[in-house]
Amino acid sequence: MRIWGKVFGFIIGFMFGRIGGGVFGLWLGHMYDRRQSQRAGIGNSSKRQALFFNTTFAVMGHVAKASGQVTEVDIRIANALMDQMRLSGEARADAQAAFREGKESNFDIHACLKTFRLISMGRKEVLQMFLEIQIQTALSDATLDPKEHSILSTIAKELGFSQKQLDDLLARWQAEFNFHRNGGSGNHTSVEDAYDVLGMEESMSDQDIKRAYRKLMNEHHPDKLVAKGLPAEMMELAKTKAQDIQAAYDRVKSDRGMR
């Protein structure tokens, strides 16, 4: 909390106008402190977003290298993600540089993730979005190499997620892969996949389904994620995830005859 603007404002105001001047100076000092805090917040937010961006692609490079060597498929996956984020020019060059950095044998993933978790200030939604991007990348070729799974376990642990939480997310993303392969909506998509995308059970009540759905949408709301540190370039990824949640929920509602 910034107070020096208020202190100096009151002192200077009191010197020239006694109590009335002191009160006026205190108000001016308060406005100055608030403006400085807002500026600092904007700066910190920019730093968090830049770190999220660079760490995402560096860790992606590390995950891609986990199976022994980076393949053409790995590179296509990384480029597809950059395309989905509509990266071009300097932003794309930065992403590619971070990806190459992550492939280096001396890349310290533990130190990288510790720094990322620290600057993210433990925001669970942002940390989970980061983990989900890495899972999505690992599963993009429809297979999960044991070494990739080991790296994902390391990432989850460093970010404060349990092995069970990681396994649950992996199951949901595998279901999401199937969901997309079968069209993502309509009767061609199995209701079982829809439940798995949502991380829900068919035995849950309608009320519990609605409650869990609202929680999921709140966690993956693009605007809220950007406000908490998700780079604006990754807004499209958050939007896609929110759309998948909505489509799966609509499939479950249709199957249950819910309103």
Side-chain angles (χ1 to χ4, degrees):
M1 179 179 178
R2 297 174 181 268
I3 63 169
W4 291 112
K6 303 178 187 67
V7 171
F8 288 119
F10 177 80
I11 292 173
I12 294 172
F14 183 81
M15 289 171 58
F16 288 95
R18 297 301 176 184
I19 296 299
V23 171
F24 182 67
L26 182 66
W27 178 79
L28 288 177
H30 168 69
M31 297 302 292
Y32 175 81
D33 287 338
R34 188 169 71 174
R35 184 174 299 175
Q36 291 299 104
S37 294
Q38 290 172 341
R39 288 177 177 174
I42 292 171
N44 289 336
S45 177
S46 298
K47 289 178 182 177
R48 284 197 301 272
Q49 291 183 354
L51 185 67
F52 190 115
F53 183 88
N54 290 325
T55 305
T56 294
F57 284 99
V59 173
M60 278 178 59
H62 193 71
V63 172
K65 189 70 178 294
S67 58
Q69 63 179 4
V70 179
T71 66
E72 288 297 322
V73 173
D74 294 321
I75 294 173
R76 282 202 304 272
I77 290 169
N79 282 325
L81 184 61
M82 294 178 201
D83 290 340
Q84 188 178 357
M85 293 167 59
R86 300 174 185 173
L87 296 183
S88 60
E90 185 177 350
R92 194 177 186 99
D94 288 344
Q96 291 169 336
F99 187 83
R100 288 193 296 271
E101 180 186 349
K103 294 190 299 180
E104 297 296 327
S105 58
N106 62 349
F107 178 71
D108 190 342
I109 189 172
H110 297 281
C112 179
L113 292 171
K114 278 183 171 66
T115 301
F116 174 67
R117 184 178 181 182
L118 181 64
I119 202 169
S120 296
M121 297 185 292
R123 289 181 168 91
K124 182 184 175 184
E125 297 94 334
V126 174
L127 296 175
Q128 182 170 316
M129 184 68 184
F130 177 90
L131 178 57
E132 289 189 24
I133 290 172
Q134 302 305 329
I135 291 172
Q136 180 183 7
T137 302
L139 289 176
S140 291
D141 57 356
T143 61
L144 186 64
D145 184 278
K147 292 181 180 178
E148 290 177 332
H149 188 277
S150 177
I151 293 291
L152 290 176
S153 295
T154 297
I155 296 169
K157 183 177 180 180
E158 289 288 356
L159 298 184
F161 294 93
S162 68
Q163 187 62 45
K164 183 181 184 307
Q165 287 173 311
L166 172 62
D167 290 341
D168 289 344
L169 287 173
L170 281 168
R172 280 166 53 183
W173 273 99
Q174 187 62 62
E176 193 153 343
F177 178 84
N178 295 333
F179 195 69
H180 276 285
R181 185 174 58 187
N182 294 325
S185 61
N187 294 327
H188 295 294
T189 301
S190 77
V191 71
E192 289 81 8
D193 282 338
Y195 275 108
D196 288 340
V197 168
L198 298 171
M200 301 175 189
E201 301 289 340
E202 291 187 55
S203 59
M204 294 170 64
S205 69
D206 289 356
Q207 192 61 37
D208 286 341
I209 291 286
K210 290 178 181 179
R211 189 179 298 113
Y213 158 74
R214 293 191 193 102
K215 181 175 181 294
L216 269 179
M217 288 299 285
N218 184 59
E219 290 174 350
H220 292 86
H221 193 286
D223 292 335
K224 290 184 179 180
L225 286 170
V226 168
K228 291 184 178 182
L230 184 75
E233 295 91 342
M234 294 185 174
M235 175 78 83
E236 288 303 314
L237 301 182
K239 284 181 180 178
T240 299
K241 180 65 178 178
Q243 289 167 358
D244 288 343
I245 292 170
Q246 183 64 58
Y249 179 64
D250 290 342
R251 179 69 178 89
V252 168
K253 277 203 311 179
S254 174
D255 184 73
R256 283 176 170 251
M258 292 168 54
R259 292 184 178 180

